[in-house]
Amino acid sequence: MSEADNRAFLQGVFAETAKGNGRPFIDALADDVRWTIIGQTAWSRTYEGKRAVLEELLRPLAEQLGGRNIVSAERFVADDDVVVVEGRNHSATASGRDYPNRYCWVFVMRGGKVAEITEYTDTQLIAEVLAPPPAAPPPHRPR
């Protein structure tokens, strides 16, 4: 896909997340996606693979948010297979605390799918508002 195609694709995905529809975002993730959240929070690490992203990041986050996770994008900057998206969260936790996080995501696209995400975010807000996610399972090591 071209730079313009990658940008347009993510603009379409974020048009849906702004309505609380996360399905297009999940569908956009490659099976071998790598999502890194910067910082030193309990959520900060690299999630390897779509299954880990869903089970160890997105599902625990959804359980803490009250209702739909509403995320809007305000700026898109594209360069070849990299698209940088500046965004904002408009959700609240199930306990009623606002979660107005701000983001800068660096997406690496591959074949029309999101191959990598690096997330720069308000880690202090994460530490103050979100409970730690369940511990990540140990990596599978064949004997």
Side-chain angles (χ1 to χ4, degrees), residues 6 10-11 13-15 17-18 25 29 33-38 45 47 53 57-58 61 65 69-79 81-91 99-109 114 116-122 126:
N6 288 329
L10 286 176
Q11 285 173 321
V13 166
F14 278 98
T17 64
F25 183 88
L29 300 175
V33 66
R34 291 175 44 104
W35 187 334
T36 301
I37 299 176
I38 59 92
R45 67 181 183 90
Y47 299 83
V53 166
L57 173 61
L58 297 180
L61 178 61
L65 297 179
N69 188 15
I70 300 171
V71 178
S72 64
E74 299 165 352
R75 182 176 303 152
F76 296 82
V77 178
D79 182 20
D81 63 348
V82 175
V83 181
V84 178
V85 179
E86 184 180 352
R88 168 184 307 250
N89 196 303
H90 304 276
S91 304
Y99 187 64
N101 213 331
R102 300 290 307 261
Y103 308 97
C104 180
W105 294 285
V106 179
F107 289 89
V108 177
M109 304 296 295
V114 174
E116 293 180 37
I117 305 169
T118 302
E119 178 178 318
Y120 300 89
T121 187
D122 183 345
I126 290 172

Side-chain angles (χ1 to χ4, degrees), residues 60-69 91-99 129-131:
L61 178 61
E63 290 170 357
Q64 292 193 43
L65 297 179
R68 297 182 295 177
N69 188 15
S91 304
T93 66
S95 64
R97 290 194 66 184
D98 285 339
Y99 187 64
V129 176
L130 298 180

Side-chain angles (χ1 to χ4, degrees), residues 36-57:
T36 301
I37 299 176
I38 59 92
Q40 301 298 315
T41 74
W43 296 82
S44 300
R45 67 181 183 90
T46 298
Y47 299 83
E48 304 258 2
K50 189 170 185 175
R51 182 175 177 186
V53 166
L54 294 174
E55 294 177 6
E56 299 168 25
L57 173 61

